[in-house]
Amino acid sequence: DVPNEIPLPFWIEWCAEVRSINPEAYISGEIWDQADEWLDGRSFDAVMNYEFAKVLFDWIGAKERKITPTQADERLASLRKAYPKEITYSLQNLIDSHDTDRAVSKLHNPDRPYDNDNREQDDPGYEGGRPPEEAFRRLKLLVLFQMTYVGAPMIYYGDEVGMWGSDDPNNRKPMLWSDLEANEDPEAKVMPEMLESYTRMIALRRDHPALRVGGFETVLTDDERDVWMYRRADEDEEILVAINASIDSTEIRMPAGEWIQIYSESQDPGRLDALSGRVWLKRR
């Protein structure tokens, strides 16, 4: 928690002490910006990768200030180049936390700088009620990218069942459970379909090592259609991911090879629905 408020030499000694107790310990620090000096192997293994979150919200979550998939690709590529590969693959990739508004609420209040103007008590214009269906669809898209990108995904409790809320204290409400839903807000109930989507996306990452340790390669960025297609691959398998961040469905063209679809929110196998993603597998 806020390690930058304590001089770095303390954390170097602290890291050495932790390693002496447990060499396999995973040490992550709450650093909000690019954190080169904290990730040189002497203090932390990872940081809370808010830089990752900022890119996703600027692409999938913004409207008036929306960036293109090419720009998103360039920004994440720059971040990958900033750290050693071992660090990149262990970064704590989150999209929200106890210090921000919940992801689906941020999606319902687009074009605000990340973690700014997001407290209802300070900004009456912030829409803190139940987000519309489109915001939840965008959330699924954020999570699909999170689960198929390099790094260590982190889920903030309750996002997986559809919890919403502006910044503190509304982002810290008690967890919703299917057998314990009494709440002052009758709309605040577990969303089974959201939990099912999270479960499928987490299982996708768990079942395919290429999504955890495989390489990353952009296959296509189509700014006009707002589509990003990328490949994750290891020695045994290739995973192809297509993300459509636009509000229009679009046709897709697969690279050559025998691809098996392993995840989709789309109904038509030849198209990619609006605000949806699809994942295919090819064995080597």
Side-chain angles (χ1 to χ4, degrees):
D1 191 18
V2 290
N4 52 296
E5 295 185 6
I6 299 174
L8 181 58
F10 169 84
W11 294 113
I12 294 174
E13 294 184 19
W14 185 83
C15 175
E17 178 68 15
V18 171
R19 294 275 187 258
S20 72
I21 299 169
N22 179 7
E24 298 300 317
Y26 173 77
I27 307 173
S28 184
E30 184 203 14
I31 305 292
W32 284 69
D33 301 310
Q34 189 168 309
D36 305 58
E37 67 174 322
W38 300 92
L39 296 173
D40 61 2
R42 299 182 301 161
S43 55
F44 299 140
D45 300 307
V47 293
M48 297 174 74
N49 196 10
Y50 284 108
E51 291 298 298
F52 165 83
K54 294 172 187 175
V55 174
L56 290 195
F57 280 102
D58 285 349
W59 174 39
I60 296 174
K63 292 186 177 180
E64 297 299 325
R65 300 180 181 179
K66 181 179 176 64
I67 65 174
T68 66
T70 296
Q71 291 171 317
D73 184 20
E74 290 172 347
R75 284 172 58 180
L76 287 181
S78 177
L79 193 60
R80 291 195 303 275
K81 292 177 183 177
Y83 306 131
K85 180 179 178 180
E86 294 81 1
I87 296 293
T88 295
Y89 278 66
S90 64
L91 285 172
Q92 186 181 345
N93 287 350
L94 72 173
I95 55 177
D96 58 355
S97 76
H98 65 290
D99 282 326
T100 74
D101 41 350
R102 285 191 176 270
V104 72
S105 290
K106 180 168 178 56
L107 292 165
H108 184 36
N109 293 268
D111 301 319
R112 297 165 185 254
Y114 192 84
D115 197 38
N116 279 274
D117 304 326
N118 58 356
R119 296 167 65 92
E120 289 180 71
Q121 58 268 47
D122 299 330
D123 184 356
Y126 189 97
E127 294 288 342
R130 180 186 177 89
E133 179 60 29
E134 180 183 318
F136 287 102
R137 291 181 64 188
R138 290 183 186 274
L139 176 59
K140 291 180 183 179
L141 206 54
L142 283 174
V143 177
L144 180 61
F145 191 96
Q146 183 187 32
M147 293 298 161
T148 56
Y149 188 65
V150 294
M154 189 209 83
I155 299 170
Y156 184 46
Y157 83 92
D159 286 352
E160 75 277 16
V161 296
M163 289 181 68
W164 65 84
S166 58
D167 203 352
D168 191 11
N170 294 315
N171 59 347
R172 306 186 184 193
K173 292 181 179 180
M175 177 66 185
L176 294 176
W177 304 100
S178 58
D179 59 346
L180 187 65
E181 292 188 334
N183 194 289
E184 63 182 10
D185 184 352
E187 289 190 295
K189 297 182 179 181
V190 169
M191 296 176 60
E193 67 279 10
M194 181 62 68
L195 182 58
E196 170 65 18
S197 290
Y198 265 83
T199 300
R200 290 174 59 207
M201 290 184 278
I202 293 170
L204 190 67
R205 186 177 185 87
R206 179 199 62 203
D207 294 342
H208 296 283
L211 292 177
R212 304 193 301 273
V213 297
F216 179 91
E217 176 191 5
T218 289
V219 175
L220 167 75
T221 55
D222 188 323
D223 294 346
E224 183 176 348
R225 295 188 298 158
D226 210 9
V227 171
W228 187 356
M229 184 178 289
Y230 51 90
R231 178 186 287 114
R232 302 294 312 279
D234 63 12
E235 59 186 17
D236 297 318
E237 60 183 11
E238 292 184 43
I239 304 289
L240 190 66
V241 183
I243 302 283
N244 177 14
S246 78
I247 58 174
D248 298 310
S249 63
T250 186
E251 293 184 355
I252 49 175
R253 293 183 179 180
M254 301 290 296
E258 296 183 4
W259 296 94
I260 302 170
Q261 182 174 288
I262 55 177
Y263 180 89
S264 178
E265 297 279 354
S266 297
Q267 302 301 317
D268 186 340
R271 298 187 66 80
L272 198 57
D273 289 348
L275 299 175
S276 75
R278 186 171 289 179
V279 184
W280 300 267
L281 166 69
K282 182 172 71 172
R283 301 289 184 186
R284 288 187 183 275

